[in-house]
Amino acid sequence: MRRIRLVKRPVRSLASAALLRRLAFANIVANTAIVVTGGAVRLTASGLGCPTWPRCTDESYTTTAEMGMHGAIEFGNRLLTFVLVLIAGATLLAVLAHRPRRRGAVPLALAVVFGIVAQAVIGGITVRTQLHPSIVGIHFVVSMLLLLAAYALWRRVSEPDGRRVPVVPPALRTLTWITVVVSAAVIIVGVAVTGSGPHAGDADAVRNGLDPQTISQIHADLVFLLVGLTVGLWLALRAVGAPARAVRAALTLLLVELGQGVVGFVQYFANLPALLVGLHMLGSCLVWLATLAALWSTREPHPAQHQPPTPPLSPHHAGDREVVVTATSGGATTTS
């Protein structure tokens, strides 16, 4: 009797898991950095340093000496978009080249690539609408969505394949989602606060017409709500004996929120100095990333079950012959 067992040779991966993780993390860093540099453009009143798009001027794609510092700052921020595209493109290629291919990683990598391209277009619309606060606000919100996609990609390639299972009770998962929603609301209302303030990116840019004190108070109220929810989440996770990873994530979110809150109050009472406003924009990215980390920590991957090994031949089959067929790209070889 002949017994046939198919043996697949492992396919060589052209991109290591470590490289994939580093590239995915680089997307998070790069998309955070461009938020900060974009803020620097506005805070130095360089938003129209290049007054048109995609050209910097009607005659040139690059800045000119006559445009001075403002033109150099705006053009430099535009160049960073190409850096983001290179990083995102390299990540997509690494995802495609890695074996075994990570489930769900390709759509996330594509989302980052197309999101960056969309951001470039929105940036162009921002310039062509003379820095209208609504378009500027959309520009910032899309940056937060890009960070969401980049963070999800990083977690996807850093964890084993398999179904993600809850590690905290349903009530705490609901509380975590409420915290995520309020965190997003804080960021969106913060965009409205910025649109009502003095940092328009250009002396002639319009504001959104909202009363700065009123919208700032709404923003502060939401911040207090967010901090309260996070304190409750942290204490509840400790009380139910949740995994240490989840407890640390909630505590980290709380500390980042407190730091961001201090910066926000100081900048408000100091009449919005540019440096603190820029630091506050960085803090917004960190709060959002810490929020995502808290959300991800409530579920952990359950590794996919491996197929059990082939049982050994029974004693009365000891004389059977086994044919091992090894699959290769060029055909099959048979060993008796």
Side-chain angles (χ1 to χ4, degrees):
M1 180 176 177
R2 291 161 58 95
R3 183 183 182 124
I4 297 178
R5 177 164 55 92
L6 293 177
V7 179
K8 284 187 176 181
R9 286 183 179 174
V11 180
R12 182 182 177 185
S13 179
L14 299 178
S16 68
L19 174 63
L20 194 54
R21 288 193 299 269
R22 292 190 187 102
L23 285 172
F25 188 75
N27 279 284
I28 298 175
V29 174
N31 281 283
T32 300
I34 203 165
V35 169
V36 177
T37 59
V41 171
R42 296 191 63 200
L43 295 170
T44 57
S46 303
L48 294 177
C50 287
T52 187
W53 187 90
R55 295 174 183 261
C56 192
T57 69
D58 291 333
E59 295 79 24
S60 173
Y61 281 98
T62 63
T63 185
T64 62
E66 293 77 13
M67 300 172 70
M69 179 189 70
H70 294 312
I73 292 174
E74 164 63 6
F75 182 69
N77 189 62
R78 292 187 183 188
L79 287 179
L80 284 177
T81 301
F82 293 99
V83 177
L84 264 67
V85 170
L86 288 174
I87 295 173
T91 305
L92 176 59
L93 291 176
V95 167
L96 293 172
H98 182 70
R99 294 292 185 277
R101 186 170 293 173
R102 305 308 303 273
R103 187 176 59 184
V106 173
L108 288 170
L110 284 171
V112 174
V113 172
F114 287 119
I116 293 169
V117 174
Q119 275 292 69
V121 175
I122 296 171
I125 296 172
T126 301
V127 172
R128 288 185 170 271
T129 57
Q130 302 295 299
L131 307 182
H132 192 281
S134 297
I135 308 300
V136 173
I138 292 173
H139 204 29
F140 187 84
V141 171
V142 173
S143 289
M144 297 299 104
L145 294 177
L146 257 173
L147 280 178
L148 169 59
Y151 184 84
L153 175 61
W154 176 61
R155 293 298 294 260
R156 179 78 284 278
V157 302
S158 300
E159 297 173 344
D161 279 329
R163 183 171 57 92
R164 291 179 60 83
V165 296
V167 293
V168 300
L172 289 188
R173 294 204 304 275
T174 300
L175 178 58
T176 305
W177 273 108
I178 293 173
T179 304
V180 172
V181 171
V182 174
S183 180
V186 167
I187 291 172
I188 292 172
V189 176
V191 169
V193 173
T194 303
S196 70
H199 297 295
D202 186 80
D204 298 325
V206 298
R207 302 285 71 205
N208 59 22
L210 297 174
D211 178 62
Q213 280 193 323
T214 302
I215 193 66
S216 295
Q217 184 60 57
I218 295 173
H219 181 61
D221 292 341
L222 283 172
V223 170
F224 284 128
L225 175 60
L226 177 60
V227 171
L229 287 170
T230 307
V231 170
L233 178 62
W234 174 52
L235 293 176
L237 288 171
R238 294 185 61 188
V240 300
R245 176 176 168 182
V247 177
R248 283 196 306 269
L251 178 58
T252 299
L253 174 58
L254 176 60
L255 294 176
V256 174
E257 288 169 355
L258 293 176
Q260 175 76 332
V262 170
V263 174
F265 277 107
V266 172
Q267 73 166 6
Y268 179 79
F269 290 108
N271 201 24
L272 303 177
L275 181 61
L276 286 181
V277 174
L279 186 60
H280 201 54
M281 292 182 69
L282 171 61
S284 296
C285 296
L286 298 180
V287 168
W288 184 232
L289 290 171
T291 301
L292 297 177
L295 176 62
W296 252 259
S297 71
T298 62
R299 300 170 71 90
E300 292 183 357
H302 184 71
Q305 296 294 324
H306 295 290
Q307 205 168 12
T310 303
L313 294 176
S314 58
H316 63 275
H317 286 152
D320 292 348
R321 297 178 63 205
E322 180 180 42
V323 179
V324 178
V325 180
T326 304
T328 64
S329 59
T333 59
T334 304
T335 306
S336 298

